[in-house]
Short mmCIF file of all heavy atoms in Angstrom, two decimals:
data_model
loop_
_atom_site.label_atom_id
_atom_site.label_comp_id
_atom_site.label_asym_id
_atom_site.label_seq_id
_atom_site.Cartn_x
_atom_site.Cartn_y
_atom_site.Cartn_z
N PRO A 1 -2.15 -18.90 -19.50
CA PRO A 1 -1.08 -18.11 -18.85
C PRO A 1 -1.05 -16.59 -19.03
O PRO A 1 -0.88 -15.88 -18.10
CB PRO A 1 0.18 -18.81 -19.48
CG PRO A 1 -0.24 -20.20 -19.69
CD PRO A 1 -1.68 -20.11 -20.14
N PRO A 2 -1.30 -16.18 -20.27
CA PRO A 2 -1.31 -14.69 -20.49
C PRO A 2 -2.38 -13.98 -19.61
O PRO A 2 -2.23 -12.96 -19.09
CB PRO A 2 -1.53 -14.51 -21.97
CG PRO A 2 -0.98 -15.74 -22.53
CD PRO A 2 -1.39 -16.88 -21.60
N VAL A 3 -3.54 -14.65 -19.61
CA VAL A 3 -4.72 -14.02 -18.87
C VAL A 3 -4.44 -14.01 -17.31
O VAL A 3 -4.50 -12.96 -16.67
CB VAL A 3 -5.97 -14.78 -19.21
CG1 VAL A 3 -7.09 -14.30 -18.21
CG2 VAL A 3 -6.41 -14.61 -20.62
N VAL A 4 -3.98 -15.10 -16.77
CA VAL A 4 -3.73 -15.13 -15.33
C VAL A 4 -2.59 -14.27 -15.00
O VAL A 4 -2.64 -13.55 -13.95
CB VAL A 4 -3.53 -16.61 -14.84
CG1 VAL A 4 -2.23 -17.17 -15.25
CG2 VAL A 4 -3.66 -16.61 -13.32
N LYS A 5 -1.64 -14.12 -15.89
CA LYS A 5 -0.48 -13.27 -15.59
C LYS A 5 -0.92 -11.72 -15.51
O LYS A 5 -0.49 -10.99 -14.57
CB LYS A 5 0.56 -13.41 -16.63
CG LYS A 5 1.90 -12.70 -16.41
CD LYS A 5 2.90 -13.07 -17.42
CE LYS A 5 4.31 -12.51 -17.08
NZ LYS A 5 5.30 -12.88 -18.06
N LEU A 6 -1.76 -11.37 -16.47
CA LEU A 6 -2.25 -9.95 -16.45
C LEU A 6 -3.16 -9.70 -15.27
O LEU A 6 -3.03 -8.63 -14.71
CB LEU A 6 -3.07 -9.66 -17.76
CG LEU A 6 -2.24 -9.57 -19.00
CD1 LEU A 6 -3.14 -9.55 -20.23
CD2 LEU A 6 -1.41 -8.29 -18.96
N ARG A 7 -4.02 -10.66 -14.85
CA ARG A 7 -4.88 -10.45 -13.74
C ARG A 7 -4.10 -10.32 -12.47
O ARG A 7 -4.39 -9.51 -11.59
CB ARG A 7 -5.87 -11.59 -13.68
CG ARG A 7 -6.98 -11.53 -14.75
CD ARG A 7 -8.01 -12.57 -14.62
NE ARG A 7 -9.07 -12.36 -15.56
CZ ARG A 7 -10.24 -13.13 -15.67
NH1 ARG A 7 -10.31 -14.12 -14.73
NH2 ARG A 7 -11.13 -12.87 -16.52
N VAL A 8 -3.10 -11.16 -12.33
CA VAL A 8 -2.29 -11.15 -11.07
C VAL A 8 -1.54 -9.77 -11.02
O VAL A 8 -1.42 -9.17 -10.05
CB VAL A 8 -1.34 -12.31 -11.01
CG1 VAL A 8 -0.21 -12.12 -9.97
CG2 VAL A 8 -2.08 -13.57 -10.75
N GLN A 9 -0.90 -9.41 -12.12
CA GLN A 9 -0.16 -8.16 -12.15
C GLN A 9 -0.99 -6.96 -11.86
O GLN A 9 -0.60 -6.08 -11.17
CB GLN A 9 0.41 -7.95 -13.54
CG GLN A 9 1.48 -6.79 -13.68
CD GLN A 9 2.61 -6.90 -12.66
OE1 GLN A 9 3.16 -8.03 -12.48
NE2 GLN A 9 2.99 -5.85 -12.06
N HIS A 10 -2.28 -6.97 -12.29
CA HIS A 10 -3.21 -5.93 -12.03
C HIS A 10 -3.41 -5.91 -10.47
O HIS A 10 -3.44 -4.76 -9.87
CB HIS A 10 -4.54 -6.17 -12.69
CG HIS A 10 -5.63 -5.19 -12.47
ND1 HIS A 10 -5.49 -3.88 -12.78
CD2 HIS A 10 -6.81 -5.35 -11.87
CE1 HIS A 10 -6.59 -3.20 -12.37
NE2 HIS A 10 -7.42 -4.08 -11.80
N GLN A 11 -3.60 -7.02 -9.83
CA GLN A 11 -3.82 -6.96 -8.35
C GLN A 11 -2.59 -6.53 -7.63
O GLN A 11 -2.69 -5.93 -6.62
CB GLN A 11 -4.24 -8.36 -7.98
CG GLN A 11 -5.63 -8.75 -8.46
CD GLN A 11 -6.76 -7.80 -8.16
OE1 GLN A 11 -6.73 -7.17 -7.04
NE2 GLN A 11 -7.73 -7.64 -9.04
N ILE A 12 -1.42 -6.99 -8.14
CA ILE A 12 -0.20 -6.52 -7.53
C ILE A 12 -0.04 -4.92 -7.55
O ILE A 12 0.26 -4.32 -6.52
CB ILE A 12 1.02 -7.13 -8.18
CG1 ILE A 12 1.13 -8.60 -7.84
CG2 ILE A 12 2.32 -6.45 -7.68
CD1 ILE A 12 2.18 -9.31 -8.74
N GLU A 13 -0.33 -4.34 -8.65
CA GLU A 13 -0.27 -2.90 -8.84
C GLU A 13 -1.33 -2.20 -7.93
O GLU A 13 -1.00 -1.21 -7.28
CB GLU A 13 -0.44 -2.50 -10.29
CG GLU A 13 0.73 -2.93 -11.18
CD GLU A 13 0.36 -2.82 -12.68
OE1 GLU A 13 -0.72 -2.31 -13.04
OE2 GLU A 13 1.30 -3.12 -13.47
N LEU A 14 -2.50 -2.75 -7.91
CA LEU A 14 -3.49 -2.14 -6.90
C LEU A 14 -3.12 -2.25 -5.53
O LEU A 14 -3.35 -1.30 -4.77
CB LEU A 14 -4.83 -2.87 -7.18
CG LEU A 14 -5.64 -2.57 -8.58
CD1 LEU A 14 -6.87 -3.47 -8.52
CD2 LEU A 14 -6.07 -1.13 -8.55
N LYS A 15 -2.55 -3.40 -5.11
CA LYS A 15 -2.19 -3.57 -3.78
C LYS A 15 -1.01 -2.55 -3.38
O LYS A 15 -0.99 -1.98 -2.31
CB LYS A 15 -1.77 -4.93 -3.37
CG LYS A 15 -1.33 -5.18 -1.95
CD LYS A 15 -1.07 -6.64 -1.59
CE LYS A 15 -0.90 -6.84 -0.12
NZ LYS A 15 0.26 -6.15 0.38
N ARG A 16 -0.07 -2.43 -4.25
CA ARG A 16 1.01 -1.47 -3.96
C ARG A 16 0.54 -0.03 -3.88
O ARG A 16 1.01 0.67 -3.04
CB ARG A 16 2.04 -1.65 -5.14
CG ARG A 16 2.95 -2.88 -4.95
CD ARG A 16 3.92 -3.04 -6.05
NE ARG A 16 4.81 -4.11 -5.86
CZ ARG A 16 5.72 -4.60 -6.75
NH1 ARG A 16 5.70 -4.11 -8.00
NH2 ARG A 16 6.46 -5.59 -6.40
N ALA A 17 -0.36 0.25 -4.65
CA ALA A 17 -1.01 1.64 -4.61
C ALA A 17 -1.74 1.79 -3.19
O ALA A 17 -1.52 2.82 -2.54
CB ALA A 17 -1.98 1.88 -5.71
N ARG A 18 -2.53 0.81 -2.82
CA ARG A 18 -3.16 0.81 -1.57
C ARG A 18 -2.22 0.89 -0.37
O ARG A 18 -2.37 1.58 0.60
CB ARG A 18 -4.12 -0.37 -1.38
CG ARG A 18 -5.40 -0.38 -2.22
CD ARG A 18 -6.39 -1.38 -1.76
NE ARG A 18 -5.85 -2.70 -1.74
CZ ARG A 18 -6.00 -3.54 -2.83
NH1 ARG A 18 -6.61 -3.06 -3.92
NH2 ARG A 18 -5.51 -4.77 -2.75
N ASP A 19 -1.15 0.05 -0.45
CA ASP A 19 -0.14 0.03 0.59
C ASP A 19 0.54 1.37 0.74
O ASP A 19 0.80 1.83 1.94
CB ASP A 19 0.95 -1.04 0.38
CG ASP A 19 0.31 -2.47 0.52
OD1 ASP A 19 -0.79 -2.57 1.08
OD2 ASP A 19 1.04 -3.37 0.07
N GLN A 20 0.79 2.04 -0.41
CA GLN A 20 1.45 3.38 -0.34
C GLN A 20 0.53 4.35 0.37
O GLN A 20 1.02 5.11 1.14
CB GLN A 20 1.83 3.84 -1.80
CG GLN A 20 2.47 5.22 -1.81
CD GLN A 20 3.70 5.31 -1.16
OE1 GLN A 20 4.39 4.26 -0.85
NE2 GLN A 20 4.19 6.58 -0.83
N LEU A 21 -0.74 4.40 0.02
CA LEU A 21 -1.71 5.27 0.62
C LEU A 21 -1.77 4.98 2.20
O LEU A 21 -1.88 5.94 2.98
CB LEU A 21 -3.09 5.14 0.01
CG LEU A 21 -3.20 5.64 -1.40
CD1 LEU A 21 -4.55 5.30 -2.03
CD2 LEU A 21 -2.97 7.20 -1.42
N THR A 22 -1.81 3.69 2.53
CA THR A 22 -1.87 3.30 3.93
C THR A 22 -0.57 3.83 4.65
O THR A 22 -0.69 4.35 5.76
CB THR A 22 -1.89 1.76 4.07
OG1 THR A 22 -3.07 1.36 3.46
CG2 THR A 22 -1.94 1.41 5.53
N ARG A 23 0.58 3.70 4.12
CA ARG A 23 1.78 4.12 4.71
C ARG A 23 1.77 5.68 5.00
O ARG A 23 2.21 6.21 5.96
CB ARG A 23 3.01 3.77 3.80
CG ARG A 23 3.40 2.28 3.99
CD ARG A 23 4.85 2.04 3.39
NE ARG A 23 4.81 2.23 1.92
CZ ARG A 23 4.53 1.22 1.04
NH1 ARG A 23 4.24 0.07 1.59
NH2 ARG A 23 4.54 1.42 -0.19
N MET A 24 1.24 6.36 3.91
CA MET A 24 1.16 7.81 4.00
C MET A 24 0.23 8.21 5.14
O MET A 24 0.44 9.20 5.81
CB MET A 24 0.66 8.48 2.70
CG MET A 24 1.71 8.29 1.56
SD MET A 24 1.10 8.80 -0.06
CE MET A 24 0.67 10.53 0.22
N ALA A 25 -0.84 7.44 5.38
CA ALA A 25 -1.85 7.78 6.33
C ALA A 25 -1.40 7.53 7.71
O ALA A 25 -1.87 8.09 8.65
CB ALA A 25 -3.08 6.90 6.06
N VAL A 26 -0.33 6.66 7.97
CA VAL A 26 0.12 6.25 9.27
C VAL A 26 1.59 6.69 9.50
O VAL A 26 2.19 6.31 10.47
CB VAL A 26 -0.06 4.77 9.50
CG1 VAL A 26 -1.55 4.40 9.47
CG2 VAL A 26 0.74 3.94 8.55
N THR A 27 2.10 7.57 8.62
CA THR A 27 3.46 7.99 8.74
C THR A 27 3.56 9.49 9.06
O THR A 27 2.86 10.21 8.45
CB THR A 27 4.31 7.63 7.51
OG1 THR A 27 4.20 6.27 7.31
CG2 THR A 27 5.73 8.11 7.68
N ASP A 28 4.39 9.92 9.99
CA ASP A 28 4.60 11.29 10.24
C ASP A 28 5.43 11.93 9.13
O ASP A 28 6.53 11.42 8.82
CB ASP A 28 5.28 11.51 11.56
CG ASP A 28 5.63 12.88 11.82
OD1 ASP A 28 4.67 13.81 11.96
OD2 ASP A 28 6.90 13.27 11.96
N GLY A 29 4.90 12.99 8.56
CA GLY A 29 5.54 13.47 7.29
C GLY A 29 6.91 14.11 7.55
O GLY A 29 7.76 14.05 6.70
N LEU A 30 7.11 14.68 8.73
CA LEU A 30 8.40 15.36 9.04
C LEU A 30 9.48 14.29 9.40
O LEU A 30 10.65 14.41 8.90
CB LEU A 30 8.22 16.30 10.24
CG LEU A 30 9.48 17.03 10.67
CD1 LEU A 30 10.02 17.93 9.62
CD2 LEU A 30 9.25 17.79 11.99
N THR A 31 9.22 13.37 10.29
CA THR A 31 10.22 12.49 10.74
C THR A 31 10.33 11.14 10.06
O THR A 31 11.35 10.45 10.21
CB THR A 31 9.98 12.21 12.28
OG1 THR A 31 8.79 11.50 12.47
CG2 THR A 31 9.97 13.54 13.02
N GLY A 32 9.25 10.70 9.45
CA GLY A 32 9.18 9.36 8.82
C GLY A 32 8.91 8.30 9.76
O GLY A 32 8.80 7.15 9.36
N LEU A 33 8.69 8.59 11.02
CA LEU A 33 8.32 7.57 12.04
C LEU A 33 6.80 7.35 11.87
O LEU A 33 6.05 8.04 11.16
CB LEU A 33 8.59 8.06 13.42
CG LEU A 33 10.07 8.19 13.88
CD1 LEU A 33 10.16 8.66 15.26
CD2 LEU A 33 10.86 6.91 13.59
N ALA A 34 6.22 6.42 12.58
CA ALA A 34 4.83 6.22 12.63
C ALA A 34 4.22 7.46 13.34
O ALA A 34 4.87 8.17 14.12
CB ALA A 34 4.53 4.96 13.57
N ASN A 35 2.99 7.71 12.97
CA ASN A 35 2.29 8.79 13.52
C ASN A 35 1.38 8.40 14.73
O ASN A 35 1.39 7.17 15.12
CB ASN A 35 1.46 9.60 12.52
CG ASN A 35 0.34 8.77 11.86
OD1 ASN A 35 0.00 7.76 12.37
ND2 ASN A 35 -0.25 9.32 10.78
N ARG A 36 0.72 9.31 15.29
CA ARG A 36 -0.12 9.02 16.47
C ARG A 36 -1.14 7.89 16.23
O ARG A 36 -1.43 6.99 17.00
CB ARG A 36 -0.80 10.29 17.00
CG ARG A 36 -1.75 10.17 18.22
CD ARG A 36 -0.96 9.99 19.50
NE ARG A 36 -1.84 10.10 20.64
CZ ARG A 36 -2.04 11.14 21.38
NH1 ARG A 36 -1.37 12.31 21.06
NH2 ARG A 36 -2.80 11.15 22.41
N ARG A 37 -1.77 8.04 15.07
CA ARG A 37 -2.82 7.02 14.64
C ARG A 37 -2.20 5.64 14.58
O ARG A 37 -2.79 4.70 15.07
CB ARG A 37 -3.40 7.35 13.28
CG ARG A 37 -4.36 6.37 12.65
CD ARG A 37 -4.77 6.82 11.29
NE ARG A 37 -5.48 5.71 10.63
CZ ARG A 37 -5.80 5.72 9.41
NH1 ARG A 37 -5.63 6.82 8.70
NH2 ARG A 37 -6.48 4.75 8.76
N GLN A 38 -1.06 5.46 13.99
CA GLN A 38 -0.43 4.14 13.89
C GLN A 38 0.02 3.67 15.28
O GLN A 38 -0.10 2.43 15.53
CB GLN A 38 0.85 4.25 12.95
CG GLN A 38 1.62 2.94 12.86
CD GLN A 38 0.88 1.84 12.12
OE1 GLN A 38 -0.31 1.97 11.86
NE2 GLN A 38 1.54 0.81 11.70
N PHE A 39 0.48 4.57 16.14
CA PHE A 39 0.81 4.16 17.51
C PHE A 39 -0.38 3.60 18.16
O PHE A 39 -0.30 2.54 18.78
CB PHE A 39 1.35 5.41 18.18
CG PHE A 39 1.57 5.16 19.78
CD1 PHE A 39 2.70 4.64 20.18
CD2 PHE A 39 0.57 5.47 20.63
CE1 PHE A 39 2.96 4.40 21.53
CE2 PHE A 39 0.70 5.25 21.96
CZ PHE A 39 1.92 4.66 22.44
N GLU A 40 -1.57 4.29 18.11
CA GLU A 40 -2.72 3.85 18.83
C GLU A 40 -3.22 2.45 18.26
O GLU A 40 -3.66 1.63 19.06
CB GLU A 40 -3.81 4.94 18.82
CG GLU A 40 -3.46 6.15 19.59
CD GLU A 40 -4.39 7.33 19.39
OE1 GLU A 40 -5.20 7.28 18.56
OE2 GLU A 40 -4.26 8.31 20.19
#
């Protein structure tokens, strides 16, 4: 249990960091809407 818990938590944190970067890459900084890239 302690090992699998740590491994899962590590992947959750990595995914959240990737998701945040993805959101930043596809979001218009001024309006908060999707940007042209996300639209396409």
Side-chain angles (χ1 to χ4, degrees):
V3 170
V4 73
K5 190 172 184 178
L6 286 170
R7 289 186 172 184
V8 167
Q9 188 59 39
H10 177 63
Q11 294 303 329
I12 289 170
E13 291 170 1
L14 286 176
K15 183 175 185 296
R16 284 177 171 168
R18 287 195 301 269
D19 289 348
Q20 177 64 17
L21 289 173
T22 299
R23 282 191 293 272
M24 291 171 63
V26 297
T27 301
D28 176 61
L30 177 65
T31 65
L33 295 181
N35 62 14
R36 178 75 171 263
R37 172 184 169 186
Q38 177 71 345
F39 173 85
E40 292 173 349

